[in-house]
Amino acid sequence: MTESAALDPEDRKIVTLARSARARNGVPEGAAVRDETGRTYVAGTVALDSLRLSALRTAVAMAVASGAESLEAAAVVSGAEELTAEDLAAVRDLGGAGTPVFLAGADGEVRVRAEAG
């Protein structure tokens, strides 16, 4: 059984949303987070001259700007082999240390499951 197959349906959903954002927008990363009410926020990498944000930090910012008070889970789809400390810190700031964060490849297969703490 693959790591992705072992995910519950709600976690699989945010991985799928993150994958879709990456493909649709042609960006290096796509991300999705789920807040305490079950709402999801989806984002891609922001790469402007004046502003650079990873997809996951952008999704967390969108959740905060929309009034989310906590996160249940986060997912990022990327070619990276590991999650960055900055991304984990953003998830931890809103969701707490135990918030699960999934890193998947472009194929949607989860390669890393971590906690934000």
Side-chain angles (χ1 to χ4, degrees):
M1 182 182 299
T2 66
E3 179 79 20
S4 293
L7 294 178
D8 75 39
E10 291 300 311
D11 292 339
R12 192 173 306 115
K13 176 182 171 183
I14 62 171
V15 171
T16 300
L17 289 169
R19 184 178 182 211
S20 295
R22 182 179 187 255
R24 179 179 58 250
N25 297 324
V27 291
E29 297 179 334
V33 298
R34 185 176 63 250
D35 74 9
E36 74 283 359
T37 68
R39 289 180 298 182
T40 55
Y41 305 88
V42 181
T45 309
V46 174
L48 301 173
D49 289 340
S50 62
L51 179 64
R52 297 203 176 269
L53 291 172
S54 72
L56 189 52
R57 283 178 270 163
T58 304
V60 170
M62 290 172 63
V64 170
S66 297
E69 295 181 9
S70 184
L71 294 179
E72 291 182 346
V76 61
V77 173
S78 171
E81 295 296 319
E82 59 188 33
L83 295 157
T84 68
E86 295 86 1
D87 281 353
L88 292 172
V91 173
R92 182 179 58 245
D93 285 350
L94 185 57
T99 306
V101 183
F102 306 100
L103 173 61
D107 60 0
E109 286 300 313
V110 174
R111 296 189 308 256
V112 175
R113 183 194 189 283
E115 290 188 352

